[in-house]
Amino acid sequence: QKWYVPPAPIQSLSLQTDAIFVHQPGKTLRLSPEAAVLAEYSQPGLIVSPAAAVLTGNSAWIADGQNGLVLHENGVYESLVPNSPAGIATGDLFIHNNALWAASGGVNASWQPLGNQQGLYRFEQEEWLNYAFPLPYHDIVSLSAAGSDVFAGSFGGGLLTLPANRNYTGTKPHGGSLF
């Protein structure tokens, strides 16, 4: 006889001394050792892909694969996102005017763009800033600077100019080349 029959597929389980957490798409269930559902943690758009959970007092901390750490306390959900880039820097790293710039784009083994639209990240004065750009400026792979301007090269998409005031301009090549 089965101890617990889930209503949806189980993605993972996590254990605490007096609780078993069942992680399913869009929610986490807290079960008693007797398999009774003690609590359900679900918040559309916030708990999407839960992977682990712990209790501290009356607070539940849920690790979500898409939204980081989610705190459930007194019936309120809060996403706690660390000061970090929005994604992985797979392109150039570049230091300019005491700031670290990181590009998120890339290409595959056949030199085709990956379709990464996460843009650029800048680390300055202990804070990460994320810059996302509309198409065609995806797969930012190269960085350079002149004066106070930073230039970001999009693989196949064009060249972005980012002046100190953060209002960027873009140049899209006609016929496949900027030169």
Side-chain angles (χ1 to χ4, degrees):
Q1 178 169 338
K2 293 184 178 182
W3 177 73
Y4 174 72
V5 179
I10 295 175
Q11 291 178 315
S12 64
L13 298 170
S14 55
L15 303 173
Q16 198 167 339
T17 305
D18 57 351
I20 300 166
F21 294 96
V22 177
H23 309 289
Q24 299 174 300
K27 67 181 175 183
T28 291
L29 301 174
R30 181 169 50 114
L31 305 180
S32 71
E34 294 77 31
V37 177
L38 300 174
E40 179 178 320
Y41 306 101
S42 64
Q43 183 71 15
L46 196 56
I47 297 177
V48 178
S49 183
V54 295
L55 291 175
T56 57
N58 292 327
S59 302
W61 298 84
I62 300 155
D64 186 82
Q66 291 187 17
N67 293 308
L69 189 60
V70 178
L71 170 63
H72 177 263
E73 191 171 51
N74 300 321
V76 176
Y77 290 88
E78 179 183 0
S79 177
L80 305 169
V81 180
N83 178 17
S84 66
I88 298 171
T90 53
D92 273 357
L93 295 175
F94 185 75
I95 295 178
H96 179 65
N97 290 341
N98 296 318
L100 170 66
W101 290 81
S104 68
V107 296
N108 65 23
S110 300
W111 283 92
Q112 296 300 309
L114 297 176
N116 187 320
Q117 297 180 31
Q118 292 180 325
L120 291 173
Y121 319 121
R122 185 179 81 193
F123 185 70
E124 185 175 31
Q125 297 179 354
E126 303 300 317
E127 184 177 350
W128 283 99
L129 297 171
N130 297 294
Y131 298 83
F133 307 102
L135 292 175
Y137 306 108
H138 55 83
D139 285 304
I140 306 291
V141 293
S142 61
L143 298 168
S144 188
S148 63
D149 293 346
V150 171
F151 301 96
S154 169
F155 190 85
L159 181 68
L160 292 162
T161 303
L162 294 102
N165 68 7
R166 299 187 191 167
N167 294 325
Y168 73 91
T169 57
T171 304
K172 173 73 175 146
H174 299 287
S177 176
L178 289 172
F179 306 103

